[in-house]
Amino acid sequence: SDFYPMTDEVASRPRIKRLFSHLTLMWALLCLCQAGVTVWLLLSTSLDTFVAARTGVTIGFALSGAAATVIFSARIARRENLLHAFHQLSPG
C-alpha cells in the first residue's frame, strides 16, 4: 500500500500475488548482479576507476529496476482493471 492503495481483495488476486513475487525475485537478482559487478570492478580496476564505474553501475541497475517495476506493474494493473480511475481522468 506504500505505492498503490489496495484492498485485501486486490492484494489476494493471483496476478497481483505473482507480480509481487516476480518483482521481489527481479530485485534480488538485480542486487546480486550489482554485487557481482561491484566485486569484479574492485578486484580488476584501480580505485579511481572503481569509484567512477561503481557510481554508474549503481545508477544503471537502480534505473533499470525501477523502469521494469513500473512497466510490469502498469501492465498487470491494466489487466486487472485497476487503472480505470486514471483513464477516466485523462483527456481523450
Side-chain angles (χ1 to χ4, degrees), residues 26-62:
M26 180 196 74
W27 278 101
L29 291 173
L30 277 173
C31 289
L32 184 63
C33 289
Q34 181 179 342
V37 170
T38 299
V39 169
W40 175 75
L41 284 170
L42 185 60
L43 296 174
S44 65
T45 62
S46 69
L47 184 59
D48 292 337
T49 303
F50 168 76
V51 171
R54 184 176 184 279
T55 301
V57 166
T58 300
I59 291 171
F61 274 100

Side-chain angles (χ1 to χ4, degrees), residues 56-79:
V57 166
T58 300
I59 291 171
F61 274 100
L63 290 176
S64 299
T69 298
V70 169
I71 290 167
F72 295 143
S73 298
R75 183 179 297 163
I76 295 301
R78 273 195 299 278
R79 288 181 184 165

Side-chain angles (χ1 to χ4, degrees), residues 6-14 16 80 82:
M6 70 179 96
T7 64
D8 290 337
E9 182 272 324
V10 171
S12 67
R13 294 180 186 183
I16 301 297
E80 291 293 315
L82 298 174

